[in-house]
Structures are given as structure tokens and as C-alpha cells.
């Protein structure tokens, strides 16, 4: 893994889909931040391409406008003055071989002006149907024949199922070696997702407890308040299962459950993650209904504002069966995790935007102390990924006074998310340095699809009921039934709030805990 302050290596960064939404909202702002941090060397040039007929000058103006809209803290003139001359644009259609030849010549011209050490990084920020064909053209016209290194960054989604993912992978592999392919999962660029490993493997207090002897269950939730927005054409073919579960949710399961790697080396880490997927209990299509719940939002209210149901969203078929919510109970059948349920849950139009991992420890073998409910709340370790970056431990202490009542408290750590680099900045930085630790390897992607495919078939064949939930609720009732036996509830998520302000869930009653 690389040092974040080291200068980036010289190279030409070729961005396909340079006029698109992702490029404007995420990629150019991320590149700007790398410039601002002084990490870009003299020989680093950015060549954007798409069909729109811009000149380089007009494209630089577009990028400047995008930065003004999407760089939160504003654009500094001196940084822009350094950044702008690196940016070039050449129009082209990825269906057209001649346009690839023009692009090749353009890149050679850019390379002739400064020493880029013959390195090229290609980023495919386009509709996925173009990924395979673009990689093949890169090889065919010689763009991928470099004097230095070459790398290919691929956006999501990587296939629609195992079969299409394998076909795509075959196409990519005929032009690039596996170690040259960087498959993006932006959750792996999130500060606290990367921190899971550090929390686990740099603290001697957690690792001895990190197994089925001490942990009763794990809950991983990624909830969003937004609906489908203007992405219905994509989302209607994807749904929450392919959009969130196959990639981000399973990545968080892997990070939470993996064994310690033998060393902090990319392949050693990825090997351990893959082993988790190999141990993940696969469900046959006919079993899916016992372990997986799907839902679709209906009209409701979020933050006091009325919002339409999924079926009323623009571009959604009036009889659409696309799921906007998935909850599932997973088992990792290895020595460490046998018998521990891993619950995952993700949905749109839920009450708060939040991603959290809740590790629930086993109860004491015998209760000597009780809360006012006559119970004792469990210990929790909660890793907060978004919007707050941090973690807290929920423990029991004596309520001050003479009544010997025990109350839950939260020992809390949080850091300002504003200071953390955005996921795309970190991932671009890593790819430029050739560090693929936080990108997904083909065996991870393929196993994730093999796990998801029977669930997708069960959804497509309506073997699993499609429940509804009102926008602003925590998914359908069936999702609550999934956890009914153990632990009995989905632990609340706090969004931007502090758990210290709201601990009543631990006892079922409000408790008086003040900071
Ligand atoms: N937007 C987002 O927030 C996210 C996007 N992604 C992924 O990123 C990728 C890009 O998404 P997004 O930016 O939203 O998509 P857009 O539709 O906004 O952009 C697509 C880009 O591809 C270009 N393009 C389209 N057809 C061709 C063609 N035949 N030849 C050359 N260029 C072409 C378009 O430019 P032009 O019309 O000028 O040709 C445009 O620059 C997708 O894989 C998506 O799944 C992933 C996560 C989030
Ligand atoms: O990949 C995706 O992720 C976002 C949620 O990402 P986050 O970083 O905001 O948690 C989701 O909205 C989108 O549908 C999906 O494609």
C-alpha cells in the first residue's frame, strides 16, 4: 500500500466518457484535489474523450464549470492555473476504429511534448456496454502498447450476472492482464471501509473477540433517503440487488469477516477477502425466500416532504417489479463464523442516509445486573461509514444513584468526513500508483455474482414476494421478521446524530444519558 503524500508517477490519463456526469461530479473534482495537494508531476496529462465536438479550450471551460459546481470548498485560481494546461480533449466515438486511431495519434502528440515515461492509464467512465469493445480497440490500434506501464480502470456495473461478467472479463483479459485491470467499487475508497482492517488488525483488544465465541450477530445497513432520481433506465435493469448487494454490501461483509492477511500486501489481502466469499453459504433459488426479503417503496414522506412512490417515478414501468430494498440473512460457514448470522440491508427512500456495521457481542453467561426493563443490553461495536466517519462502543454502566440500575453508554469516536479525501480521489491516487488493494479482483467479482444469481432468478421468477414499504420507513415488515429470532431488531442508525443523544433502543425505554 502506498504513501498518500508521494508524487504520482508521470503518465497520460485517458478518460473515456469525459463529458459525462461521473466525470463532472466526481472524477475531475478528484483530479483537481490531487493537483491541489501538489501530487501531480510535470509529466501528467489528462486526455478526455467523448462524442461531443469540443476543442481542448472549450473542454477546459466545461471542466472549470464542473469544478465550480462540485468542489465543495471552491476552486483556487492558482491550482486551476496549474491544472488547466494538463487537460486536453479529442472527440471520438468508441464504436469507430478510426476514432481510436485519431485518439492514438493525439496521445502520441501529447507524449511528444513532455516526458510521460511511456505510461498510460485508461479510465472507462461510460455505459458498461462499451467496456469490452473499448478495451479491444485499445489493443487493436496500439494505444495499449506502451513503453511503460498501462492500466485500465473499469466503472461499475461489472456485468449483469455471472455469465455477462465472465464474457466482459474475457474481452478485457484479451487486451489487459488481470493485474492491469482496476475494477471500481467506490465503497472500497471510503475512509471507514478502509479503516475496518485497521480497527481489526491494529487493536489487540478486538481480534481475540472477533469470532463466533464472542460475537452473536453482525448487521450491515446502507440506507439512502434518495429515490431512483433520474436513473430509472439503469435502475430498472439493476434493482437494489445488483446495484448495492452484489458489490458494496458483499465488500463490507468481506472486510468485516476476513482473516488477517499474512502481510499488508495487495494480493494477500484480496486472497483473504475471496476466502470469505468461498465460505458464504449459497442459497438455491427455492431457498431464497427464507433468507432474503425484497421491497419497493410507495409514496411517503422524507424529512417532512411528500415523495412519490417508485412506480410514479419518471421512466419507471407502471407495473415494475424492481426492488428498491433488499435485506438478507447470510452465513459464513467457516470455523470463525459458523452460526453467526450476518444481516445485510440496503434501500432507497429510507428515513436516514447512513451506512453502518453493527457488531453485536454475546450476552453475559449470567446477568447480575439489570436495566430498568429487567434486561441487560448487549455490547455493540458500531463502525460508522457514512455520513459520520467513526465508531462507538455501547457498554453498560451503573446509573449514578442508589438504585443499582444499569444504563447503556456509548464511547464514541468520530472524525470530520470533510477532511477525508473523497472515495474517487483515493481510488484514482491508488490506481495511478499501481496499488489495486481497494479494487476488486476477478475472483471476488465472479464469486459475488455466483452468490447473487440464484437470488436474482428468484426475484425474476417471483418466487420471493415483492413487499412494499412507505417512503420514509425502514423497509417492509418482512425485513423485521428476518431478525425477529435474533437479535430481535435492526439496530437503529443515527445518520448525522450522535448515539449519545439517543440510547433508548438499548433498553426499549428512554434513558437519561447526557454528554
Ligand atoms: N454518475 C454517477 O454518479 C455514477 C456513475 N457510475 C458509472 O460510471 C459510468 C459513467 O456514468 P455517467 O457519467 O453517469 O454516464 P453519462 O451518461 O453521464 O456519461 C456517458 C459518457 O459516455 C460518452 N459516450 C456515450 N456514448 C459514447 C460513444 N458511443 N462513444 C464515445 N463516448 C460516448 C458520453 O459523452 P457524449 O454524449 O459526448 O459522447 C458521456 O461522456 C457508468 O458505467 C456508470 O454506471 C458509477 C457510479 C456513479
Ligand atoms: O453505487 C451506488 O452507490 C450509491 C450510494 O453510494 P454512497 O456512497 O452515497 O453510499 C447509490 O445511490 C447508487 O444507486 C449506486 O449505484
Amino acid at each position: 500500500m502506498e504513501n498518500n503524500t508521494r508524487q504520482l508517477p508521470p503518465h497520460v490519463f485517458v478518460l473515456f466518457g469525459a463529458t459525462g456526469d461521473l466525470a463532472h461530479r466526481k472524477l475531475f473534482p478528484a483530479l483537481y484535489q490531487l493537483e491541489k495537494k501538489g501530487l501531480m508531476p510535470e509529466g501528467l496529462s489528462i486526455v478526455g474523450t467523448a462524442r461531443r465536438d469540443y476543442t481542448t479550450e472549450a473542454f477546459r471551460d466545461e471542466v472549470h464549470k464542473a469544478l465550480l459546481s462540485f468542489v465543495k470548498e471552491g476552486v483556487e485560481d492558482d491550482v486551476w492555473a496549474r491544472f488547466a494546461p494538463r487537460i486536453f480533449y479529442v472527440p471520438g466515438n468508441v464504436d469507430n476504429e478510426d476514432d481510436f486511431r485519431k485518439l492514438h495519434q493525439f496521445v502520441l502528440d501529447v507524449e511528444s511534448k513532455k516526458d510521460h515515461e511511456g505510461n498510460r492509464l485508461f479510465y472507462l467512465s461510460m455505459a458498461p456496454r462499451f467496456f469490452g469493445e473499448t478495451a479491444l480497440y485499445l489493443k487493436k490500434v496500439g494505444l495499449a502498447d506502451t513503453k511503460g506501464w498501462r492500466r485500465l480502470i473499469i466503472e461499475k456495473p461489472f456485468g449483469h450476472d455471472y455469465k455477462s461478467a465472465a464474457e466482459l472479463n474475457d474481452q478485457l483479459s484479451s487486451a489487459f492482464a488481470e493485474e492491469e485491470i482496476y475494477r471500481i467499487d467506490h465503497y472500497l475508497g471510503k475512509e471507514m471501509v478502509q479503516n475496518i482492517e485497521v480497527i481489526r488488525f491494529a487493536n489487540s483488544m478486538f481480534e481475540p473477540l472477533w469470532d463466533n465465541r464472542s460475537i452473536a450477530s453482525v448487521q450491515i445497513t446502507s440506507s439512502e433517503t434518495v429515490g431512483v432520481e433520474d436513473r430509472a433506465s439503469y435502475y430498472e435493469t439493476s434493482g437494489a440487488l445488483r446495484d448495492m448487494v452484489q458489490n458494496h454490501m458483499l465488500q463490507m461483509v468481506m472486510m468485516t469477516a476476513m482473516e488477517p492477511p499474512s502481510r499488508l500486501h495487495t494480493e494477500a489481502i484480496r486472497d483473504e477477502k475471496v476466502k470469505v466469499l468461498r465460505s458464504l453459504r449459497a442459497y438455491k433459488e427455492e431457498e431464497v425466500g427464507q433468507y432474503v426479503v425484497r421491497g419497493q417503496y410507495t409514496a411517503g414522506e422524507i424529512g417532512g416532504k411528500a415523495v412519490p412512490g417508485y412506480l410514479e417515478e419518471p421512466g419507471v414501468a407502471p407495473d415494475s417489479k424492481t426492488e428498491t430494498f433488499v435485506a438478507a440473512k447470510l452465513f459464513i460457514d467457516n470455523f470463525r463464523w459458523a452460526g453467526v448470522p450476518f444481516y445485510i440491508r440496503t434501500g432507497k427512500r429510507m428515513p436516514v442516509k447512513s451506512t453502518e456495521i453493527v457488531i453485536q457481542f454475546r450476552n453475559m453467561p449470567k446477568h447480575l445486573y439489570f436495566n430498568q426493563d429487567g434486561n441487560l443490553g448487549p455490547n455493540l461495536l458500531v463502525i460508522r461509514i457514512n455520513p459520520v466517519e467513526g465508531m462507538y462502543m455501547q457498554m453498560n454502566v451503573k446509573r449514578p444513584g442508589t438504585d443499582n440500575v444499569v444504563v447503556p453508554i456509548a464511547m464514541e469516536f468520530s472524525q470530520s468526513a470533510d477532511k477525508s479525501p473523497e472515495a474517487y480521489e483515493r481510488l484514482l491516487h491508488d490506481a495511478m500508483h499501481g496499488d489495486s488493494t481497494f479494487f476488486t479482483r476477478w475472483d471476488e467479482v465472479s464469486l459475488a455474482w455466483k452468490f447473487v444469481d440464484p437470488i436474482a432468478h428468484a426475484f425474476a421468477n417471483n418466487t420471493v414476494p415483492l413487499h412494499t414499504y412507505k417512503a420514509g420507513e425502514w423497509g417492509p415488515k418482512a425485513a423485521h421478521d428476518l431478525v425477529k429470532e435474533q437479535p430481535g431488531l435492526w439496530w437503529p442508525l443515527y445518520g448525522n446524530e450522535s448515539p449519545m443523544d439517543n440510547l433508548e433502543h438499548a433498553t426499549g425505554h428512554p434513558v437519561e444519558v447526557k454528554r
Side-chain angles (χ1 to χ4, degrees):
M1 293 208 260
E2 299 290 336
N3 179 345
N4 224 7
T5 56
R6 200 153 62 87
Q7 275 250 313
L8 295 162
H11 65 281
V12 180
F13 179 81
V14 183
L15 178 57
F16 289 88
T19 58
D21 179 66
L22 185 71
H24 280 71
R25 280 196 311 115
K26 299 284 181 189
L27 302 180
F28 278 108
L31 291 163
Y32 169 87
Q33 294 297 347
L34 294 171
E35 177 77 81
K36 187 174 166 185
K37 288 178 184 163
L39 299 181
M40 290 207 174
E42 166 85 2
L44 197 162
S45 301
I46 299 163
V47 174
T49 181
R51 287 169 307 176
R52 255 158 272 189
D53 200 16
Y54 287 129
T55 60
T56 284
E57 282 313 315
F59 184 64
R60 285 177 186 167
D61 288 345
E62 282 300 303
V63 172
H64 193 235
K65 275 189 221 146
L67 296 179
L68 291 172
S69 302
F70 298 114
V71 176
K72 273 186 249 156
E73 70 279 10
V75 180
E76 292 173 26
D77 289 345
D78 58 328
V79 181
W80 173 247
R82 294 201 306 271
F83 189 49
R86 296 184 190 283
I87 302 173
F88 301 89
Y89 183 84
V90 57
N93 188 327
V94 291
D95 284 332
N96 184 333
E97 186 173 329
D98 278 346
D99 285 351
F100 274 92
R101 296 195 188 286
K102 284 184 204 145
L103 173 65
H104 190 194
Q105 190 51 54
F106 194 89
V107 169
L108 290 171
D109 289 347
V110 168
E111 285 175 337
S112 69
K113 293 191 184 104
K114 275 186 193 139
D115 185 10
H116 297 80
E117 297 185 0
N119 302 323
R120 291 178 194 160
L121 174 55
F122 304 98
Y123 195 125
L124 308 192
S125 175
M126 291 180 294
R129 67 179 183 282
F130 295 127
F131 293 165
E133 149 183 71
T134 301
L136 293 175
Y137 273 132
L138 288 176
K139 182 178 177 196
K140 191 167 180 196
V141 305
L143 256 161
D145 297 334
T146 56
K147 294 196 180 74
W149 51 253
R150 67 202 183 144
R151 294 178 194 135
L152 179 72
I153 305 182
I154 292 281
E155 256 305 330
K156 66 167 281 202
F158 198 93
H160 181 73
D161 51 16
Y162 171 71
K163 186 169 171 286
S164 55
E167 281 164 9
L168 169 59
N169 202 57
D170 285 348
Q171 287 180 306
L172 301 183
S173 306
S174 63
F176 290 83
E178 172 62 28
E179 58 274 16
E180 294 169 335
I181 302 172
Y182 289 65
R183 298 176 192 82
I184 290 259
D185 182 316
H186 80 277
Y187 267 55
L188 291 178
K190 288 183 188 274
E191 178 65 30
M192 286 306 293
V193 172
Q194 299 194 352
N195 218 341
I196 298 170
E197 275 183 68
V198 183
I199 291 166
R200 289 191 52 197
F201 304 135
N203 291 296
S204 60
M205 62 195 279
F206 293 129
E207 198 46 31
L209 301 180
W210 212 262
D211 60 22
N212 49 12
R213 278 168 291 208
S214 304
I215 291 176
S217 68
V218 176
Q219 292 186 352
I220 304 178
T221 299
S222 186
S223 62
E224 299 188 80
T225 51
V226 293
V228 67
E229 298 178 294
D230 56 357
R231 297 169 69 216
S233 64
Y234 153 73
Y235 200 80
E236 279 280 272
T237 63
S238 139
L241 182 70
R242 293 184 171 91
D243 189 44
M244 293 293 291
V245 174
Q246 187 272 343
N247 38 51
H248 312 319
M249 302 306 288
L250 289 182
Q251 284 295 334
M252 289 189 283
V253 170
M254 285 185 250
M255 300 291 278
T256 308
M258 67 189 265
E259 295 296 316
S262 52
R263 61 204 164 109
L264 222 47
H265 178 269
T266 301
E267 299 312 330
I269 293 169
R270 301 204 299 186
D271 287 347
E272 296 307 334
K273 285 172 62 193
V274 166
K275 285 184 200 162
V276 175
L277 288 184
R278 291 196 194 289
S279 303
L280 189 61
R281 191 182 300 172
Y283 298 134
K284 297 198 184 75
E285 188 178 336
E286 58 276 18
E287 296 170 324
V288 169
Q290 289 171 57
Y291 301 103
V292 183
V293 171
R294 63 171 172 157
Q296 190 186 72
Y297 62 82
T298 56
E301 240 184 49
I302 305 246
K305 255 182 76 183
V307 294
Y310 182 70
L311 297 180
E312 287 94 63
E313 300 276 18
V316 170
D319 56 351
S320 171
K321 295 266 184 291
T322 303
E323 77 289 351
T324 59
F325 173 96
V326 173
K329 183 178 187 174
L330 312 180
F331 289 98
I332 298 164
D333 289 328
N334 60 17
F335 266 36
R336 186 185 282 263
W337 295 113
V340 179
F342 277 65
Y343 297 103
I344 59 170
R345 175 176 64 157
T346 182
K348 294 203 182 280
R349 288 289 192 221
M350 298 182 76
V352 289
K353 164 84 180 158
S354 193
T355 301
E356 292 192 357
I357 301 176
V358 182
I359 314 287
Q360 179 178 339
F361 291 89
R362 290 196 182 282
N363 288 335
M364 298 296 286
K366 173 178 162 51
H367 286 189
L368 294 174
Y369 297 100
F370 300 95
N371 58 30
Q372 55 196 4
D373 208 17
N375 285 317
L376 187 67
N379 290 141
L380 304 178
L381 171 67
V382 181
I383 300 174
R384 308 184 78 188
I385 290 164
N386 178 282
V388 171
E389 290 181 354
M391 58 195 262
Y392 69 89
M393 282 195 284
Q394 183 175 295
M395 297 188 294
N396 296 305
V397 299
K398 181 180 169 305
R399 182 163 70 186
T402 53
D403 56 4
N404 248 344
V405 167
V406 170
V407 288
I409 52 118
M411 278 177 60
E412 190 185 2
F413 151 74
S414 69
Q415 63 197 17
S416 163
D418 288 349
K419 295 220 172 82
S420 303
E422 286 244 5
Y424 275 97
E425 179 189 334
R426 196 187 307 257
L427 293 174
L428 281 176
H429 169 275
D430 286 0
M432 288 173 174
H433 270 306
D435 182 352
S436 53
T437 310
F438 293 111
F439 294 82
T440 56
R441 206 168 63 183
W442 167 239
D443 47 0
E444 285 173 66
V445 177
S446 63
L447 285 167
W449 276 123
K450 284 180 180 169
F451 174 76
V452 158
D453 274 357
I455 305 176
H457 292 150
F459 287 5
N461 295 332
N462 286 318
T463 324
V464 175
L466 177 67
H467 301 280
T468 54
Y469 62 100
K470 253 171 112 170
E473 288 180 352
W474 284 105
K477 180 179 169 299
H480 299 272
D481 295 342
L482 203 62
V483 294
K484 200 160 63 189
E485 272 176 39
Q486 198 222 359
L489 77 171
W490 287 96
W491 293 104
L493 273 67
Y494 296 105
N496 269 315
E497 289 172 20
S498 161
M500 285 296 287
D501 296 333
N502 192 342
L503 279 172
E504 64 261 42
H505 65 274
T507 58
H509 291 294
V511 290
E512 290 168 23
V513 182
K514 292 274 175 264
R515 271 192 277 191

